[in-house]
Amino acid sequence: MTDRIRSRRRVAALIPATAIALITTACGAQIEDAPGVEASATVNRCGEPVEYTTPQRAVVYEGGSADKMFALGLTDHVLGYVMPPANPPVSESPWAEEYEKVEFLSDDLLNRELVVDADADFVVAGWNSGFSDSRGITPEILDTLGIQSFMHSETCFNYPGFPEQHTPFEGLYTDLERLGEIFGVEERAEQIISEYKERVAAVQEQAPDGDPIKVFLYDFGTDKPFTAASQVPPNDIIRYAGGENIFGDVEARWTEATWEAVVEAEPEVIIILEYQDQPAQEKIDFLKSNPTTASLPAVVNDEFYILDYNEAISSPRNIDGLEGFAEYLREYAEAR
């Protein structure tokens, strides 16, 4: 998400057994490079080939970046994390124990001074979600400072000069593969990707029969709604679960829409993103009290699903988000 979007309190959910197995084995992954030896790997940063040496002091921005590193067993290579205050508490993360092993560096937005002061040699963030021209912290600027950087592939859609487009889940797999190459844990990355793909396939096999269920994701906004378009993980979560994102044909990431377009689409289910400073119930109350949206099928039937913030941004937790929403959608389809 863009930096102007505030992250939210995590809505706790049960972690599938396969996810627990991944978490357990991730902590024991071994780096294949010998101690003190800097290996080199040429890996794409969005559409630009970049040569990396194995980072030792990584700074990660928000939960998606941290979780990818922790899932790959790379905690020892993480110096610390930057987590704006509206983000879900890290204590609720499946990798809570890994967060405790690294430093909490800031609850501000990512900035160049913080990275330099921390003597970081690697920064993981997204384009316009961490990295920002307007705030003066970009991969190009970090290059001039001798600091390596990595961008989430899902955010490369509109990266200036070197754009790269992936479907959101493919972006997640690509990031794990590329980080695996940079840190020499290719086998670990391959194992995780394979297990995630198996979980996604299992969801698709159980998707409700018939026409896809129309789904609207409500992020925030009263005059106009901010929502998920085709280039962000919720679009894949919705379609793999058997739904249809009513703004899934918009070639963008997070985007502003109109209430008229929402009303015209007549969504049967509404996904709510709940930020720590914007509770889901407040958004639901608005949709129920707003004359424009009060008659929507989803509102009338009280069909709301709360999606965890870290399941909505590019993260290993996308798979948990898919499984949770898919279960909800199956129950909805059976009951209607």
Side-chain angles (χ1 to χ4, degrees):
M1 278 187 196
T2 59
D3 283 326
R4 72 190 184 94
I5 301 173
R6 300 297 183 189
S7 10
R8 59 175 286 279
R9 170 175 57 82
R10 178 173 170 83
V11 178
L14 293 177
I15 303 171
T18 50
I20 293 173
L22 283 176
I23 295 164
T24 302
T25 55
C27 299
Q30 298 296 314
I31 308 303
E32 295 169 11
D33 300 322
V37 176
E38 287 193 339
S40 295
T42 300
V43 177
N44 271 19
R45 183 177 66 191
C46 291
E48 177 186 18
V50 173
E51 184 173 304
Y52 291 90
T53 55
T54 307
Q56 303 299 328
R57 295 175 59 83
V59 168
V60 292
Y61 181 72
E62 288 203 309
S65 302
D67 293 348
K68 288 173 185 176
M69 294 288 286
F70 295 152
L72 288 167
L74 298 172
T75 305
D76 288 346
H77 291 251
V78 178
L79 167 67
Y81 62 95
V82 177
M83 197 74 70
N87 277 241
V90 298
S91 60
E92 297 176 357
S93 166
W95 291 277
E97 292 184 2
E98 303 309 300
Y99 278 101
E100 292 181 358
K101 298 175 184 177
V102 301
E103 295 181 39
F104 169 63
L105 297 172
S106 175
D107 61 359
D108 200 353
L109 299 177
L110 188 66
N111 62 80
R112 185 171 66 250
E113 291 75 14
L114 181 152
V115 170
V116 172
D117 289 347
D119 194 25
D121 63 359
F122 189 61
V123 181
V124 184
W127 178 245
N128 284 336
S129 179
F131 296 122
S132 167
D133 269 325
S134 63
R135 285 186 289 101
I137 180 165
T138 67
E140 289 78 8
I141 290 172
L142 293 181
D143 285 345
T144 67
L145 300 173
I147 300 172
Q148 303 177 103
S149 59
F150 181 91
M151 278 188 291
H152 302 302
S153 300
E154 174 259 321
T155 69
C156 293
F157 171 71
N158 58 354
Y159 179 57
F162 298 96
E164 186 179 65
Q165 188 167 345
H166 304 266
T167 60
F169 274 34
E170 286 298 330
L172 168 63
Y173 307 147
T174 298
D175 288 345
L176 293 170
E177 180 180 347
R178 289 176 176 175
L179 286 168
E181 292 179 34
I182 292 170
F183 287 92
V185 291
E186 291 94 334
E187 290 185 7
R188 173 65 189 153
E190 184 179 345
Q191 174 195 358
I192 295 173
I193 294 167
S194 177
E195 292 190 37
Y196 287 171
K197 287 182 176 180
E198 287 177 7
R199 290 168 64 185
V200 171
V203 166
Q204 290 180 284
E205 290 174 3
Q206 300 176 67
D209 295 329
D211 293 335
I213 298 163
K214 292 184 179 180
V215 180
F216 165 55
L217 183 142
Y218 182 36
D219 192 345
F220 65 86
T222 53
D223 293 337
K224 292 183 177 181
F226 210 68
T227 188
S230 64
Q231 301 299 313
V232 288
N235 189 64
D236 278 0
I237 287 173
I238 292 167
R239 69 187 184 95
Y240 287 147
E244 177 187 352
N245 177 7
I246 64 171
F247 293 106
D249 59 348
V250 177
E251 288 294 314
R253 298 184 63 241
W254 301 94
T255 189
E256 190 176 68
T258 66
W259 289 120
E260 290 76 14
V262 175
V263 170
E264 183 178 352
E266 298 185 319
E268 299 173 66
V269 170
I270 295 176
I271 294 177
I272 303 286
L273 286 188
E274 180 185 30
Y275 297 86
Q276 189 151 272
D277 55 353
Q278 296 179 19
Q281 190 58 51
E282 291 183 6
K283 297 180 184 180
I284 293 170
D285 291 344
F286 167 74
L287 293 173
K288 289 183 174 182
S289 62
N290 179 15
T292 303
T293 56
S295 60
L296 289 172
V299 176
V300 170
N301 297 320
D302 209 32
E303 294 293 347
F304 299 103
Y305 181 84
I306 299 174
L307 185 67
D308 183 286
Y309 175 79
N310 283 308
E311 295 170 350
I313 62 175
S314 184
S315 164
R317 289 189 247 178
N318 293 153
I319 312 301
D320 298 332
L322 168 62
E323 290 171 334
F325 181 63
E327 181 180 0
Y328 170 88
L329 214 59
R330 288 194 299 270
E331 292 176 355
Y332 169 79
E334 292 171 1
R336 68 174 177 175

